[in-house]
Every structure is written in structure tokens, then in C-alpha cells.
């Protein structure tokens, strides 16, 4: 989907202004009613009011039947919070989105999902195609983001966690209904545990919970993912929910590949180093640069991938020919080999990476960069999450090896 900004006629501009005036009046009334009928334990602030819940209506997907209840975390992933004025990468945002979806599952509520996702230019070397000269905040946001339904299949996702988008007619119907319900319509909550939201009647009977999540990042609400019993959605959930167009592209490429194995090689941003007070270079992942070089990959994967196999490689390494030494043992394949299939279907690197993930997941043997679960095969033994322990990088092979 190309991101174009089409000039609107003066008539449409006047209609939009009238619509915004009417919406503002309705929202002000809703906030007044909510304030008069505040829920114990809830907090109210301009950032939490229903005025921030409204996004221009787009598609009609379903109508409330009266039995559904809804959960809203914000109009942008990780916002409100410190990331409102910044944009994290796809993986970071998916961690936050998965956390919100888990809470909706736990509360047995329909999740109101942001209709757009910001695109971090650091993780988007491809850029956003069809750039526009945006002048207003709305236009700049549209130009630096992509539609959520261009990434994910909402209907497929709803088979596990019911979701609606915050630009849907359903969402506007929910807001309208919440106004009519008075104190049972909406609760603006902050600092309330999900257990209380589910068990206490002053929350559980409310149509809409407007949840202010952690100001750090949404995923901080689910930081106890080391507790396996607390995980309701696996890391593979959102990658498997890719939009139908992206799934079709991945299926065509997998058909071309036939029987294949795959590796995901994450370098780039993960190779960051800094000097200590003595001028010595240190890294959070001391073995990663070594372990993700071709000669060490050959050594590492030889026990898992037999010689002669087709090996699909997905990586953020931009050096041309970086993985060519692997060709002495394997038939190498990259997404760039299938640009005639991919390019017509994508507009940014987020969509490209989602296609690559589907291909990786379809491999006979899939080797990740970092181990995320105990059963994972990985290129390095360095822990993925390390934010404090900076160590001197290691480039030699330790012990007996290849």
C-alpha cells in the first residue's frame, strides 16, 4: 500500500471540521460523565481522557452486541510514555503489542489495537516508498508509519484474541455506547493490576477500560516472561499473524526453495561497542561478531545442517558477499533472489522482515542468532538480553573446534 496524501477539496475540509467539532463536543460530555462517576482506584488526567481515544473512522468490521467488553492501551504502541516522540524497532514494538494482547486475553476483552505502527528509520534501510512532503503532524505521522493491517491479519489474530482497530466504526460505536452507560461506560485506570481489573466488579463490569500502561514501554507490564506459566502468547504468535498478502509472498518463495534450512543472522545494531575509561573496546555481546562470521557459522551449523543443503539466509548485515564463504558447503539463498516476487508487495523493511520470518519458520532446520527458548538452535551462546555487562570482544575460537 503506497502512502500518498491526496489533496482534499474545500468542501471535504469543511465537512471534516464540522465532524471534529461534533466529536469534540461528544468527547467533552463523555469526560464530564466519567469524572462525575469516577471509579475507585482510577486516575484521571488529560492524557487519559476519551478525547485521546478517537481516531478517524475507516472500516466497519463488526458491531457491538452488548456482551463484548473492550481494552484500550493507547493510539500508538508504547504511547503514552517515553516513546511517544520516538520509535522503536519492529521487535520492540511487537513485544509491547504482544503484552497488551496477553492482557486482553487474560481479561477476556476485545483489544482496541492502534491502526498504525511507526517505522524506525534505523531498522528500515529500504525506506518508506512513495515519500510525501508532509507538513502537518497527521501527515508526518502517516508518512513515518504504516497501516497495522498491512502488517497483520486482523481476522486471523481475532481467532485467538479479538481485536478491532482504533479507526474502525466499531470503535466509535463503543465510545458512543460508553457515553450512554454512565458510570458503567468507561474507566480510566492507572497502576491497577490485571488481576484487580478482572476480579473487582468496579472494573470487570465496565464496557471500556482505558489503560495507561508503563511509561517506559508497554512490554514492561509483562516483564516476568521468565515465568513460563505467565506467558499466554508465544514469541511466534505475531510473526505467524502476518497479513495475507505477506503470507502469499512467503508461500511462493518457499515453493521455489523446496526442501531447505535457514539461519537468521543478526549483526548491525547488536554489534555496538563502547570504550571503557582505559580506552578498551567493550561489547554487550562479546562473542557475537565472531559467531556471526561465515567461517564460524560453517563450524557451528555443520552438526545441524548437512553439506549440499539449500540454506536461506536472513540478515541485517549489509556487506556484499559477507556470507559467500558458506557456499563451499551449501546452496545459498536470500530474499534478494526473489525481488520480482517481493518488491511489488512491500513498502518498507518491516514487511520484508515479516516475509523473511515466515520463510525462516518454514525451514526444516531453523537456526536463530540468539537462543530464546531452551529448544532453540542458535549461532551464539551470548544471552540476547544484556543491558549492563560490557565485556571485551572475543574473536578466537575457544577450546577444540572446527
Amino acid at each position: 500500500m503506497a502512502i500518498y496524501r491526496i489533496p482534499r477539496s474545500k468542501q471535504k475540509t469543511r465537512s471534516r471540521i464540522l465532524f471534529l467539532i461534533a466529536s469534540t463536543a461528544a468527547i467533552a460530555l463523555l469526560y464530564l460523565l466519567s469524572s462525575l462517576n469516577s471509579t475507585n482506584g482510577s486516575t484521571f488526567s488529560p492524557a487519559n481522557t476519551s478525547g485521546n481515544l478517537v481516531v478517524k473512522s475507516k472500516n466497519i468490521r463488526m458491531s457491538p452486541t452488548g456482551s463484548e467488553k473492550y481494552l484500550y492501551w493507547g493510539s500508538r504502541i508504547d504511547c503514552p510514555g517515553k516513546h511517544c516522540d520516538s520509535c522503536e524497532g519492529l521487535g520492540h514494538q511487537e513485544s509491547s503489542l504482544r503484552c497488551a494482547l496477553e492482557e486482553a486475553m487474560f481479561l477476556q476483552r476485545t483489544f482496541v489495537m492502534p491502526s498504525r505502527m511507526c517505522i524506525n528509520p534505523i531498522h528500515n534501510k529500504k525506506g518508506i516508498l512513495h515519500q510525501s512532503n508532509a507538513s502537518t503532524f497527521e501527515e508526518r505521522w502517516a508518512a513515518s508509519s504504516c497501516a497495522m493491517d498491512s502488517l497483520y491479519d486482523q481476522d486471523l489474530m481475532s481467532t485467538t484474541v479479538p481485536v478491532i482497530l482504533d479507526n474502525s466504526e466499531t470503535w466509535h460505536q463503543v465510545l458512543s455506547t460508553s457515553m450512554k452507560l454512565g458510570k458503567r461506560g468507561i474507566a480510566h485506570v492507572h497502576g491497577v493490576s490485571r488481576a484487580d481489573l478482572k476480579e473487582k466488579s468496579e472494573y470487570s463490569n465496565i464496557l471500556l477500560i482505558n489503560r495507561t500502561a508503563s511509561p517506559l514501554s508497554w512490554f514492561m507490564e509483562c516483564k516476568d516472561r521468565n515465568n513460563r506459566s505467565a506467558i499466554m502468547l508465544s514469541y511466534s504468535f505475531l510473526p505467524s499473524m502476518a497479513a495475507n498478502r505477506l503470507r502469499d509472498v512467503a508461500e511462493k518463495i518457499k515453493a521455489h526453495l523446496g526442501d531447505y534450512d535457514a539461519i537468521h543472522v543478526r549483526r548491525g545494531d547488536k554489534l555496538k561497542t563502547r570504550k571503557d575509561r582505559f580506552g578498551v573496546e567493550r561489547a554487550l555481546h562479546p562473542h557475537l561478531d565472531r559467531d556471526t562470521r561465515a567461517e564460524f557459522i560453517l563450524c557451528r551449523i555443520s552438526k545441524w545442517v548437512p553439506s549440499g543443503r539449500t540454506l536461506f539466509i536472513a540478515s541485517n548485515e549489509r556487506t556484499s558477499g559477507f556470507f559467500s564463504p558458506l557456499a563451499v558447503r551449501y546452496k545459498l539463498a536470500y530474499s534478494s533472489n526473489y525481488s520480482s516476487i517481493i518488491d511489488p508487495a512491500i513498502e518498507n523493511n518491516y514487511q520484508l522482515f515479516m516475509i523473511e520470518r515466515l520463510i525462516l519458520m518454514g525451514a526444516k532446520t531453523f537456526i536463530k542468532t540468539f537462543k530464546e527458548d531452551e529448544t532453540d538452535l542458535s549461532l551464539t551462546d551470548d544471552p540476547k538480553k544484556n543491558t549492563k555487562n560490557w565485556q571485551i570482544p572475543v574473536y578466537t575460537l575457544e577450546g577444540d573446534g572446527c
Side-chain angles (χ1 to χ4, degrees):
M1 182 189 81
I3 301 176
Y4 292 109
R5 299 300 302 180
I6 303 175
R8 298 174 178 171
S9 67
K10 292 182 179 180
Q11 181 179 359
K12 289 184 178 180
T13 301
R14 287 194 296 268
S15 299
R16 185 180 179 193
I17 292 173
L18 290 174
F19 172 78
L20 290 173
I21 292 172
S23 298
T24 302
I27 294 160
L29 177 59
L30 173 58
Y31 179 66
L32 177 61
L33 290 173
S34 299
S35 299
L36 293 174
N37 300 284
S38 60
T39 304
N40 293 335
S42 303
T43 60
F44 296 84
S45 69
N48 291 338
T49 65
S50 299
N52 294 313
L53 310 186
V54 177
V55 177
K56 185 179 176 184
S57 149
K58 185 180 179 183
N59 297 319
I60 299 176
R61 299 194 65 89
M62 55 180 281
S63 298
T65 63
S67 59
E68 298 95 345
K69 293 184 176 66
Y70 298 86
L71 175 67
Y72 181 82
W73 275 32
S75 61
R76 291 175 57 178
I77 294 175
D78 290 337
C79 183
K82 74 171 187 176
H83 292 296
C84 286
D85 297 323
S86 64
C87 180
E88 294 300 310
L90 177 63
H92 182 117
Q93 292 189 74
E94 282 193 334
S95 294
S96 288
L97 181 58
R98 184 174 59 242
C99 180
L101 291 168
E102 284 189 351
E103 180 161 292
M105 285 185 71
F106 180 80
L107 299 178
Q108 296 182 313
R109 287 177 172 268
T110 297
F111 181 63
V112 184
M113 188 162 65
S115 56
R116 300 190 70 82
M117 177 183 283
C118 69
I119 300 180
N120 189 317
I122 295 176
H123 301 285
N124 191 38
K125 298 301 183 184
K126 184 180 179 65
I128 304 173
L129 304 187
H130 315 296
Q131 293 279 6
S132 64
N133 295 321
S135 57
T136 67
F137 172 80
E138 180 181 331
E139 290 173 335
R140 289 195 300 272
W141 168 235
S144 63
S145 64
C146 62
M148 195 70 79
D149 56 12
S150 73
L151 299 175
Y152 304 105
D153 187 328
Q154 180 185 344
D155 294 329
L156 181 61
M157 192 181 296
S158 291
T159 61
T160 302
V161 189
V163 295
I164 62 172
L165 296 177
D166 69 359
N167 65 348
S168 65
E169 182 62 28
T170 302
W171 178 225
H172 283 265
Q173 292 176 14
V174 170
L175 289 175
S176 176
T177 302
S178 69
M179 293 174 62
K180 301 171 185 177
L181 292 177
K183 65 180 181 181
R184 295 185 294 110
I186 185 170
H188 305 287
V189 303
H190 176 68
V192 181
S193 71
R194 61 174 56 176
D196 285 344
L197 292 177
K198 182 176 184 178
E199 296 167 5
K200 292 187 175 181
S201 60
E202 62 261 41
Y203 304 117
S204 61
N205 293 330
I206 298 293
L207 171 68
L208 170 62
I209 290 179
N210 176 25
R211 173 92 144 89
T212 302
S214 170
L216 300 176
S217 292
W218 284 5
F219 67 75
M220 293 300 292
E221 301 290 341
C222 299
K223 59 184 178 181
D224 189 25
R225 288 188 69 83
N226 289 328
N227 177 7
R228 309 303 297 178
S229 63
I231 298 176
M232 301 180 71
L233 293 173
S234 68
Y235 285 104
S236 63
F237 175 72
L238 285 172
S240 65
M241 296 293 112
N244 187 60
R245 180 175 62 172
L246 305 182
R247 296 202 308 273
D248 285 346
V249 170
E251 287 302 318
K252 290 177 182 178
I253 295 174
K254 288 195 289 184
H256 279 279
L257 289 169
D259 184 23
Y260 67 98
D261 303 302
I263 57 175
H264 177 219
V265 189
R266 186 169 180 183
R267 288 175 57 82
D269 58 309
K270 287 294 184 180
L271 297 182
K272 181 173 65 175
T273 62
R274 72 180 186 188
K275 292 183 178 180
D276 62 19
R277 62 194 180 96
F278 300 107
V280 177
E281 292 281 350
R282 292 182 177 270
L284 288 172
H285 308 285
H287 302 91
L288 183 62
D289 192 8
R290 180 200 69 182
D291 292 344
T292 53
R293 292 179 179 272
E295 58 270 30
F296 288 93
I297 292 175
L298 275 173
C299 176
R300 179 84 168 188
I301 71 174
S302 61
K303 54 191 172 185
W304 301 317
V305 182
S307 180
R309 295 277 295 170
T310 295
L311 184 67
F312 178 80
I313 302 173
S315 178
N316 60 352
E317 174 58 54
R318 300 305 175 193
T319 304
S320 178
F322 188 84
F323 298 107
S324 295
L326 294 172
V328 300
R329 189 179 297 163
Y330 305 111
K331 293 174 284 186
L332 305 185
Y334 308 87
S335 59
S336 58
N337 299 141
Y338 305 97
S339 57
S340 61
I341 301 175
I342 294 175
D343 286 353
I346 69 169
E347 297 168 334
N348 54 69
N349 266 12
Y350 284 14
Q351 292 171 318
L352 173 61
F353 184 46
M354 294 189 76
I355 291 171
E356 288 183 329
R357 289 192 306 192
L358 291 171
I359 299 171
L360 294 171
M361 292 165 63
K364 180 177 181 180
T365 301
F366 171 32
I367 303 166
K368 301 179 179 180
T369 302
F370 300 98
K371 186 186 290 286
E372 294 175 343
D373 293 310
E374 286 301 316
T375 58
D376 286 343
L377 302 178
S378 65
L379 296 176
T380 184
D381 293 322
D382 286 350
K384 182 177 182 179
K385 295 182 179 179
N386 176 21
T387 59
K388 296 180 180 179
N389 188 17
W390 292 81
Q391 302 174 58
I392 298 175
V394 177
Y395 293 98
T396 57
L397 192 61
E398 301 160 354
D400 297 330
C402 299

